[in-house]
């Protein structure tokens, strides 16, 4: 008696198989300053040193546990200009101009030390916005104080591109703890939302002419 052949399941199996294409998120800045997140095929497989957490945050690479996105100098500049326009249109911008314009301290200021700005390549959009806004505020402060001031920035999260971009603006980027050595009686220190160790390091040196920071009332050395 002839045996009956079983129906072939190859066709059904092939229909069920799906091709999986691994992708990573990329961010594209349009002409109006909006950042769009899109998926792009990752044909190279896993990049050495790239962590899963970075991919989840839309990052392209990791340095010292911090996730960053890839940027060109021009892309970094365009995104900064976008956030700068928003800062200049804010009430806070007008307030800081008025405060510095009325104060006598600006006559004493000979240099500016900017601590803890954060990276303009941070993988978190909110992080980049905060860093760009702080940088825009710094430029507002300098416009009130007058040109010709030495401006020194220090943050361990700065990338090589951050250093390059800040240098193109005429600022000097240094490594920890060199910036603290530049704090003198005629210095404006700009340190927003920094760790307590940063404020302690400032308080250990000469009292600056102006300190723009967070909860400075906790440090008696800066009380009048």
């Amino acid at each position: 008696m002839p045996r009956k052949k079983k129906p072939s399941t190859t066709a059904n199996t092939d229909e069920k198989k799906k091709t999986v294409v691994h992708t990573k998120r990329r961010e594209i800045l349009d002409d109006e300053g909006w950042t769009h997140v899109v998926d792009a095929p990752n044909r190279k497989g896993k990049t050495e040193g790239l962590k899963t957490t970075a991919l989840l945050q839309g990052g392209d690479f990791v340095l010292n546990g911090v996730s960053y996105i890839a940027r060109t100098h021009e892309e970094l500049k365009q995104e900064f200009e976008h956030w700068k326009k928003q800062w200049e249109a804010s009430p806070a911008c007008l307030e800081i101009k008025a405060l510095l314009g009325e104060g006598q301290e600006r006559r004493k200021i000979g240099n500016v030390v900017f601590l803890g700005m954060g990276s303009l390549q941070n993988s978190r959009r909110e992080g980049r916005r905060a860093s760009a806004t702080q940088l825009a505020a710094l430029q507002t402060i300098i416009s009130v104080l007058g040109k010709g001031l030495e401006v020194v920035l220090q943050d361990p999260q700065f990338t090589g591109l951050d250093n390059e971009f800040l240098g193109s603006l005429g600022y000097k980027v240094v490594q920890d703890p060199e910036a603290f050595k530049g704090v003198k009686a005629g210095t404006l220190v700009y340190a927003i939302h920094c760790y307590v160790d940063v404020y302690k390091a400032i308080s250990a040196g000469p009292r600056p002419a102006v300190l723009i920071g967070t909860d400075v009332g906790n440090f008696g050395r800066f009380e009048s």
Side-chain angles (χ1 to χ4, degrees):
M1 182 176 180
R3 296 181 180 179
K4 294 183 179 180
K5 293 184 179 181
K6 294 182 179 180
S8 175
T9 58
T10 304
N12 294 334
T13 303
D14 291 341
E15 290 178 0
K16 293 180 180 180
K17 288 183 178 180
K18 295 182 179 180
T19 302
V20 178
V21 179
H22 296 283
T23 64
K24 68 176 182 178
R25 297 170 62 193
R26 297 187 64 82
E27 296 186 349
I28 300 176
L29 187 71
D30 63 22
D31 294 335
E32 297 180 358
W34 291 98
T35 302
H36 303 274
V37 180
V38 298
D39 284 337
N42 182 7
R43 302 182 185 279
K44 296 183 180 180
K46 294 183 179 180
T47 303
E48 184 177 357
L50 189 63
K51 297 183 179 180
T52 303
T53 53
L55 289 173
L56 293 175
Q57 296 175 3
D60 295 309
F61 62 97
V62 174
L63 292 175
N64 299 321
V66 180
S67 177
Y68 298 88
I69 57 172
R71 280 284 192 265
T72 64
H73 186 104
E74 185 59 29
E75 289 170 339
L76 202 72
K77 179 181 178 181
Q78 287 180 6
E79 188 169 26
F80 167 65
E81 291 296 334
H82 168 69
W83 296 120
K84 181 180 178 180
K85 288 180 181 179
Q86 291 199 8
W87 158 255
E88 291 177 339
S90 69
C93 181
L94 297 176
E95 290 175 8
I96 199 168
K97 283 182 177 180
L99 287 172
L100 289 173
E102 295 172 358
Q104 297 296 318
E105 291 84 357
R106 67 173 181 165
R107 299 178 183 177
K108 308 174 186 177
I109 295 172
N111 69 312
V112 176
V113 172
F114 186 4
L115 304 168
M117 184 188 99
S119 175
L120 296 172
Q121 284 188 269
N122 192 296
S123 65
R124 293 175 55 252
R125 186 172 185 269
E126 178 61 22
R128 297 196 303 277
R129 183 201 64 79
S131 296
T133 301
Q134 288 189 48
L135 180 57
L138 171 69
Q139 293 185 331
T140 298
I141 292 170
I142 294 173
S143 70
V144 175
L145 298 178
K147 298 180 180 179
L149 295 175
E150 180 188 47
V151 180
V152 173
L153 296 94
Q154 176 181 293
D155 193 315
Q157 291 190 8
F158 282 156
T159 64
L161 184 57
D162 285 319
N163 296 343
E164 177 187 318
F165 178 69
L166 294 170
S168 71
L169 299 178
Y171 307 145
K172 181 181 180 181
V173 179
V174 299
Q175 299 299 316
D176 182 48
E178 187 175 345
F180 296 107
K181 300 176 183 177
V183 178
K184 304 173 184 178
T187 302
L188 182 147
V189 177
Y190 185 42
I192 303 293
H193 301 308
C194 291
Y195 293 113
V196 65
D197 289 345
V198 172
Y199 297 113
K200 286 183 178 179
I202 296 170
S203 66
R207 178 174 179 171
V210 177
L211 171 62
I212 301 176
T214 305
D215 295 331
V216 295
N218 294 330
F219 303 92
R221 186 179 181 84
F222 296 111
E223 294 178 354
S224 57

